[in-house]
Structure formats: structure tokens, C-alpha cells
Amino acid sequence: MLLLLQSRGGQTAAELARELEVSVRTIHRDVDALSASGVPIYADRGPHGGIRLVDGYRTRLTGMTADEAEALFLSGLPGPAAELGLGTVVAAARLKVLAALPVELRARASRLVERFHLDAAAWYHADEPVPLLGPLSEAVWESQRIQIGYNRGDKTVDRILEPLGLVLKAGVWYLVAGADGQPRTYRVSRVTRVTALDERFDRPDEFDLAAFWTESSSAYERDTPNVEVVLRIAGERLPRLHGVVGDRPFDTMERLADPDPDGWLRVRLKLDWPNEVVSQILAVGPECELLEPAELREKIRMQARRVASHYDRAPSQPDADSGPAYSGSVDRSPVASGQAG
């Protein structure tokens, strides 16, 4: 109850009872017990009343369980915190919490950090440069209007925004901001400049960043163009198909009972972005054949012929004065592959 009142301010007895799953009578009894023990807690009557703590009162860090201590230290992501300019702050906060924990919980939390590490980015994807994440986070925190330059791919446009929040999704930062009265999403790596305007804005009381992100993500997945395809594929190539198309199409894939002369599987699945399906199917390898739809099958046939035509003739030789030919060696160092830490 103390933690709820500290984090949310005044609460009615009914709200506390609902949150803590007890009766209103229990809430009143516990308030009396806390008051009797010296906690500066009081209840206001009236339509805007509620149970409150005296301004400035804070309880000490007590009552933390072993699971809570472990979860707290597992939740820290040093990379994103550093990008926000909070790396040293997070480290200092963890040290303070660690020092305040009992010896046994301290040992368990330390063991967890030694044994588990969270890496939010996907394989073979270098972190996107986000040099303007700091000014954006400050504008979010201060509820300050900003003017940004935003690279849409074909051109850079100017936008005046009311920044509402920042979201980290699979290693990519997104800015959620009000524009023309509606919240919209912008990829932070595409922001080319940020100018803070000399005006604040009132953050909408009803806006919930987590709820907006969940809803907009679902809408994005729902509205993404897709196409239904039928494939025949060797069973051992299913893991490769999974890696190429992703979790959602693979998990919803339907296996067909049609017999196959080579013992391959026949499957039906929906793939997003029809323009990318040809390259996806070719990336699975020769042990995968698209049967339907016919127009995509024709596109794959034509693409395969173009690729094969390059190998039907001898490789062209470079001119003598055009510089050194390719030596066959590949630099697979972390820097060359974009994986430098």
C-alpha cells in the first residue's frame, strides 16, 4: 500500500482494495495500523478525497523477495541505457540497490548478473546510429515541442511534433509523437535534425504509451499486405524456411495432405509484402518450389533464368589496367561485418 501511494499519489479505499485484492474494510484497518506505527498517512473525505501520504515521505527499500531482486537486475539493458545517456545513472542505481539488499539477496542478484545477459538486437544487425536520441529523450521528458527533419527515403521533410514517448523494439528506437492532433510513430535513426521550440505542450492525460504501441503494432501487422502461397519443400529445409519468412508465417503454416512424388511436404502459408516473396523463396534453396499462385511462380521462373544465365558463360576478365582482381579472401572481422561492439 505504501509503494502504491508513493508512486501514484492519493488513492481511494476502493481503488486500493481493488489493486491489492482485499476488502475496503481491510484497507481502512491497515491505514489505522500504519498510522499507529508512525507512518504519516491520512484520509481525506469528500468527492476528491482519498488516502494519502504526507508530501515527501518515502519508505525504505524493504520487503523485496529473492525473485524480485533477481528480476530487477535482469531487467537492465546497458546498451539502450547508454544510448539514452543513462548508462552511468543505471549503473549507480544498481549499485545503490545492491548495497541496500540483505546479504543473501545481494548474492543471488550478483550471481544472476554473472550468468545471464540480455541482448535485444537481432543477429547480423548492427545497431542503428541514433545521434539525436538524447535531444529527443529530453524533449519527451520536458514535454517540449520540437521541429525535426525526417528522412522518408525519397526526401527529407520538416515536422513539428509533440514528443510523447520512446520505444525500443528489437534493437530499433522509435519516437511516438503527436502530429496534427494524432499520435504517430517515427524511426529515430531517420531523424536528421532536432530543434527545440520555446513552448511546452500538455501531455494528454488519457494517453498510454504501452497501450498505443500494442495497438499500433497489431494494426501494422493486420494491415500489412500479404499473399497466400503453396509450397512443396523437403522436410530438412523447414528450418531454413523458418529463418527466411519469420515466426508468424511459419507458426501459422498449414500442412497439406496432398501426396508428393519426392516425399516432400506441401504447405500453405501467408507471406507479408508480396514484392519480397520471390527473393524469399529463392533464398530457401532448390529444395523448395512455389506451386501457387501462378503469377508468382512465373516471376520466380524468370528470376531463376536470369541468375542461371550469368553462369552459362565464362566469367568476364578485368582489364589489365583496371586494378587488382578480387583475390578470393574475405574480411570477416567484427568491424568489416558491422558487428563491432
Side-chain angles (χ1 to χ4, degrees), residues 3-329:
L3 293 174
L4 286 173
L5 293 175
Q6 285 180 193
S7 61
R8 300 180 183 176
Q11 299 276 288
T12 66
E15 289 171 337
L16 289 171
R18 185 166 52 251
E19 181 78 21
L20 300 173
E21 299 181 355
V22 296
S23 68
V24 172
R25 178 175 295 182
T26 297
I27 294 297
H28 287 303
R29 187 168 57 245
D30 289 347
V31 168
D32 291 339
L34 287 169
S35 179
S37 67
V39 174
I41 188 171
Y42 64 97
D44 278 338
R45 298 185 181 276
H48 301 292
I51 298 169
R52 306 175 186 279
L53 292 170
V54 170
D55 289 345
Y57 175 80
R58 289 291 182 269
T59 183
R60 298 186 63 186
L61 182 65
T62 57
M64 182 174 286
T65 67
D67 289 341
E68 290 168 344
E70 292 176 353
L72 175 65
F73 279 84
L74 189 59
S75 64
L77 293 174
E83 289 176 334
L84 283 169
L86 298 174
T88 56
V89 176
V90 170
R94 288 176 61 170
L95 282 175
K96 291 177 181 178
V97 173
L98 195 64
L101 291 174
V103 175
E104 174 56 25
L105 297 190
R106 192 184 311 161
R108 293 186 61 163
S110 298
R111 285 200 301 271
L112 189 79
V113 175
E114 292 170 355
R115 289 163 173 78
F116 296 92
H117 173 69
L118 299 181
D119 185 355
W123 284 107
Y124 306 115
H125 286 272
D127 291 339
E128 291 187 334
V130 283
L132 298 176
L133 182 62
L136 291 175
S137 64
E138 183 176 353
V140 168
W141 186 254
E142 298 294 340
S143 296
Q144 186 171 33
R145 282 193 179 91
I146 56 174
Q147 182 173 4
I148 68 167
Y150 191 70
N151 181 6
R152 296 198 320 184
D154 55 340
K155 61 180 179 179
T156 298
V157 296
D158 288 331
R159 292 287 184 267
I160 294 180
L161 304 177
E162 297 180 347
L164 299 170
L166 287 161
V167 176
L168 180 66
K169 171 70 172 179
V172 178
W173 283 101
Y174 296 91
L175 170 70
V176 178
D180 301 323
Q182 295 292 329
R184 304 181 187 277
T185 303
Y186 301 86
R187 193 159 177 155
V188 172
S189 62
R190 294 186 178 181
V191 177
T192 59
R193 62 182 178 275
V194 178
T195 302
L197 304 179
D198 293 331
E199 49 186 313
R200 300 288 196 271
F201 66 92
D202 294 327
R203 184 182 178 86
D205 293 335
E206 71 280 2
F207 180 75
D208 184 316
L209 179 62
F212 168 81
W213 184 260
T214 299
E215 181 179 349
S216 61
S217 298
S218 299
Y220 174 80
E221 293 180 354
R222 183 177 61 249
D223 298 337
T224 297
N226 60 71
V227 60
E228 186 174 86
V229 302
V230 176
L231 308 176
R232 60 185 294 265
I233 182 171
E236 63 269 18
R237 298 302 292 175
L238 285 177
R240 174 60 179 167
L241 176 66
H242 187 182
V244 169
V245 304
D247 291 337
R248 188 160 59 96
F250 189 84
D251 293 340
T252 56
M253 179 176 65
E254 175 189 0
R255 297 199 182 192
L256 306 178
D258 301 350
D260 188 271
D262 298 321
W264 288 11
L265 302 173
R266 298 200 175 205
V267 298
R268 178 184 289 113
L269 68 162
K270 286 186 177 180
L271 298 179
D272 295 337
W273 305 110
N275 291 338
E276 299 179 1
V277 170
V278 170
S279 59
Q280 286 180 315
I281 299 305
L282 290 174
V284 178
E287 293 84 12
C288 176
E289 177 185 358
L290 186 140
L291 303 177
E292 302 174 11
E295 59 271 21
L296 278 181
R297 180 179 174 87
E298 176 63 15
K299 287 183 178 181
I300 291 177
R301 186 186 69 82
M302 294 175 62
Q303 181 79 339
R305 282 196 170 185
R306 282 197 295 268
V307 172
S309 68
H310 297 312
Y311 297 91
D312 289 337
R313 58 179 183 268
S316 58
Q317 299 297 323
D319 296 335
D321 57 352
S322 63
Y326 172 62
S327 64
S329 63

